[in-house]
Amino acid sequence: MSCSDSGSEDLPVGAQGDLASRTLVLESKRFYLDVKENQRGRFIKIAEISADGRKNQILMTFSTAALFSQNLIQFIDFYRDLDNLDPENLRQGELKSEVMYKDDKKYHMDLKENARGRFLKVFETFTHRPHGYSRFQIFIPADGMGEFQHNLGELIDEYDNGDAEEALSAPQNKHLRIENKNFYFDIKRNQQGRYMSISEAKGNFRNSILVPESGWESFRDVLDDYVKQVKEGD
């Protein structure tokens, strides 16, 4: 395994371009961790290049990358406690799984094994109009998760402008499925303060409402009142 990095520390905040890049060689794969910035903010691009030249990539905002890095530590601890791989007795399905919800995106972390070894599959799905779902994924060798998390964590610490720190201290986003609809609850912040985004997604259609923090308790009281009324009516 090896690592190299580069950066452009003199790039002014608000400009578009690359802020830093690191290269990792994990087993037969090469990974690029690139810190980038555009008009919407800073984000991390993770690219995986296989030995045969195939390329996979995934993009994460700093707030998502911080949660991913935090979850990755748990996966590393879990992996260290596993028994040695037995090619004659492979476990079906995921050894460990985690799902992260961020805005209209859904990130899966699945630790798996096959005859060649154990690996972490990370994939992102999101809905966009009018073409439906898009999916991006990368595969990290399990033995390389520690080095991967170490370098990702250093980039987050060095280039975070507050998004990652806020994401780790803020309430985690929630997902709720009711019948054939998905509901996403996201806590966000803008110049007016903190608010809750409640999104309803069904197929390719998505509607959202925004509830300022000052109205959360009143919003909850109205729902509680309706629930009580319906139960009493039944």
Side-chain angles (χ1 to χ4, degrees):
M1 300 181 182
S2 63
C3 168
S4 63
D5 65 323
S6 61
S8 53
E9 298 179 356
D10 57 347
L11 187 67
V13 175
Q16 298 187 23
D18 297 340
L19 299 180
S21 180
R22 292 197 180 188
T23 303
L24 308 177
V25 178
L26 306 178
E27 296 184 357
S28 62
K29 296 182 177 183
R30 188 179 300 270
F31 290 86
Y32 297 93
L33 307 180
D34 298 327
V35 179
K36 296 177 175 289
E37 185 172 48
N38 59 22
Q39 294 178 344
R40 291 182 293 178
R42 293 181 178 180
F43 62 96
I44 294 180
K45 174 184 174 183
I46 304 172
E48 167 204 352
I49 310 296
S50 300
D52 58 4
R54 287 181 299 173
K55 180 177 180 180
N56 293 311
Q57 69 177 33
I58 194 169
L59 304 179
M60 294 183 180
T61 62
F62 260 68
S63 58
T64 301
L67 294 175
F68 172 59
S69 180
Q70 187 178 64
N71 286 334
L72 195 52
I73 294 175
Q74 299 176 8
F75 274 75
I76 294 168
D77 292 339
F78 176 84
Y79 173 65
R80 287 172 178 165
D81 292 335
L82 289 176
D83 295 330
N84 292 332
L85 179 71
D86 181 2
E88 303 299 326
N89 187 28
L90 296 174
R91 292 173 57 178
Q92 300 298 316
E94 291 79 25
L95 303 175
K96 180 176 174 61
S97 294
E98 184 67 45
V99 180
M100 303 181 298
Y101 297 94
K102 197 65 179 175
D103 298 327
D104 59 345
K105 296 181 179 181
K106 183 178 180 182
Y107 297 86
H108 291 260
M109 300 175 64
D110 296 333
L111 182 62
K112 298 185 174 185
E113 66 180 18
N114 57 26
R116 291 177 293 177
R118 290 170 174 152
F119 59 93
L120 178 65
K121 177 181 179 182
V122 184
F123 64 97
E124 162 204 359
T125 59
F126 65 95
T127 303
H128 62 94
R129 302 171 185 171
H131 304 295
Y133 285 95
S134 289
R135 177 167 173 158
F136 300 94
Q137 61 189 8
I138 57 172
F139 299 86
I140 305 171
D143 284 339
M145 290 191 298
E147 183 176 351
F148 189 97
Q149 190 279 328
H150 173 75
N151 283 274
L152 178 63
E154 285 189 342
L155 289 174
I156 293 173
D157 290 342
E158 184 173 357
Y159 292 94
D160 176 39
N161 54 11
D163 292 341
E165 181 178 356
E166 182 177 345
L168 293 177
S169 61
Q172 297 303 301
N173 297 338
K174 301 293 184 180
H175 167 252
L176 181 63
R177 183 170 180 83
I178 302 176
E179 297 179 359
N180 62 342
K181 294 183 178 182
N182 290 292
F183 295 88
Y184 300 92
F185 300 80
D186 302 324
I187 305 302
K188 302 181 179 180
R189 184 184 295 274
N190 59 20
Q191 294 179 344
Q192 284 72 45
R194 192 157 55 176
Y195 64 95
M196 180 187 302
S197 171
I198 304 175
S199 302
E200 170 198 353
K202 180 182 179 182
N204 297 334
F205 297 96
R206 187 182 183 95
N207 295 305
S208 299
I209 62 171
L210 308 180
V211 184
E213 184 177 13
S214 60
W216 290 357
E217 291 186 359
S218 298
F219 193 89
R220 178 201 60 196
D221 292 343
V222 170
L223 289 177
D224 286 343
D225 187 51
Y226 274 118
V227 172
K228 291 178 181 178
Q229 291 184 43
V230 170
K231 286 184 176 180
E232 291 173 356
D234 292 340

